[in-house]
Amino acid sequence: MRKIIEFRNVSFRYEDEQPWVLKNLSFEIYENEWIAIIGHNGSGKSTIAKLLNGLLFPQEGEILIDGKQVNQDTIWDIRKDVGMVFQNPDNQFVGTTVQDDVAFGMENRGFPREDMIKRMEETLSAVGMQDYLLTEPHRLSGGQKQRVAIASVLAISPQVLILDEATAMLDPKGRTEIMQTVTDVQSENELSLITITHDLTEVVQADRVIVMNEGEIWREALPREIFSLKDQLREIGLDVPFITVLADELNQLGVPITQEPLNHEELLEELWTLHSKT
Ligand SMILES: Nc1ncnc2c1ncn2[C@@H]1O[C@H](COP(=O)(O)OP(=O)(O)O)[C@@H](O)[C@H]1O
Ligand SMILES: [Mg+2]
C-alpha cells in the first residue's frame, strides 16, 4: 500500500515557553484508508489537521504528504493534495452562490476553465447538490452547506480528505447522509479519509482508529480493539458505543459473547449463533 501521510516525531506548541500541544507524534496513513481520530477536547486533534495542510508548522519533527515535506515552499502543492472541512458550515462558504463556492478553490489553484465546469458538475452531483448551482448560502441548511464544502474540496481532487468534526452541528439524519456521501465518494476515488469525530457510529466504520490523549497517541488500532478497552477509554474521557456496553452487560449476566460486536447486526448475529447452539 502506498503511504500518503507520515508524521515523524512531530512536536508542536502554539507559543514558545508554553506546554507542548503535540508530543513526539509518529504515525502513517495509507492510500484509500479511513482513519478516525478521537480524543478528549484539547487533546490535539484539530492541531494535527492544521499541520496536515500547512496552516501550522511543527517546531520538531517532520510531516510528509505523498513523500513531500510540508513547509513554506510546498504548502501550495500540499493544499492540492489535502482538503479539509471544518465544523462550522457558515465559516467556510466563500462564494455568493453554490457554484461560485465550488469554483473558488479551483480558481485559486489555477484549474483550466473547461475542467472547472466539468468538475463542478461532477462533485456537486456526488454530494447531491447539483440542483443548487445558483443558490445563495443563506438559503441552504447546515447539512447542505457541509455538502457544498465537501464538493468544493473534492473538486480539487485531493488525495486526502479531512473532516474535522464536520458533522458535529448536524442532526443524526444529516450526519448519516453526509457520511454516506463521503464513503461513496471514497470508494469511487483513491482517497484517504481522516475523520475527527465524537460520533461513535462513525468511528466503528473506520479502518483504523487513532486515540489521542493529552497531545500523545494513546492507542492506534482497529475499532474493535479500541472499543474492547472500555474502562480505559472512559478513564481518558471517552465514550464507548452502546452496543459494546450492552454486550458487556450480557456477558456479566452469563451470555458468553466472545467477539466485540460493533453494531446491532453483529450482536444479533452472535446471539443467534449462541441460540442455535443451545
Ligand atoms: N490558536 C491557539 N493558540 C493557543 N493554544 C491553542 C490554539 N488552538 C488550540 N490551542 C490549544 O492546543 C490544545 C489542543 O487543541 P486542539 O488541537 O484544538 O484540540 P482538539 O481539536 O482535540 O480539541 C488545547 O490545549 C488548546 O487549548
Ligand atoms: Mg478540535
Side-chain angles (χ1 to χ4, degrees), residues 41-42 44-47 50 87 164-165 196 198:
N41 280 332
K45 305 180 299 293
S46 293
T47 305
K50 289 173 187 154
Q87 181 170 15
D164 186 357
E165 304 199 20
I196 297 172
H198 291 287

Side-chain angles (χ1 to χ4, degrees), residues 24-57:
N24 196 24
L25 227 58
S26 296
F27 63 86
E28 294 173 359
I29 295 176
Y30 296 89
E31 190 169 60
N32 246 337
E33 219 184 356
W34 177 0
I35 301 290
I37 302 181
I38 59 176
H40 62 81
N41 280 332
S43 59
K45 305 180 299 293
S46 293
T47 305
I48 294 176
K50 289 173 187 154
L51 287 165
L52 276 169
N53 83 342
L55 288 171
L56 301 170
F57 299 106

